[in-house]
Amino acid sequence: AIPTDDLAVNAEGVLLIGGQRADTLLKQFGSPLYVTVEKTIRQNFRTFLAAFDKHWPAGADVFYAIKTNNALAVRAILNQEGAGG
């Protein structure tokens, strides 16, 4: 895990993703289940952009590969953060 990952294990040994119990999410949405934490996406994008800003004085436009993650919710979050696709 990296510092921005929002993963934990509670006292019962249950995986928490973004503060939500993984077993509860599975019961609600079924399996297979892909979970994305908005806070993590935003934090990682901002860290990535800050690194470019620090080392590239002219600024940089960040584009992500839509083909590798075409989830509309992820696209919306990254668009709000200023990314292109």
Side-chain angles (χ1 to χ4, degrees), residues 15-84:
L15 175 65
L16 302 175
I17 306 168
Q20 302 295 313
R21 292 174 59 112
D23 57 348
T24 302
L25 293 171
L26 284 168
K27 286 176 190 167
Q28 184 176 355
F29 298 105
S31 176
L33 177 65
Y34 301 91
V35 179
T36 302
V37 179
E38 180 178 352
K39 180 177 81 172
T40 299
I41 293 172
R42 290 185 187 279
Q43 287 175 335
N44 288 347
F45 178 82
R46 291 172 186 169
T47 299
F48 188 78
L49 188 59
F52 272 105
D53 288 343
K54 180 179 178 181
H55 297 287
W56 199 286
D61 293 325
V62 176
F63 294 84
Y64 62 95
I66 291 175
K67 288 174 126 181
T68 62
N69 190 339
N70 63 357
L72 293 177
V74 173
R75 291 173 64 179
I77 292 166
L78 289 169
N79 181 267
Q80 289 170 358
E81 291 295 325

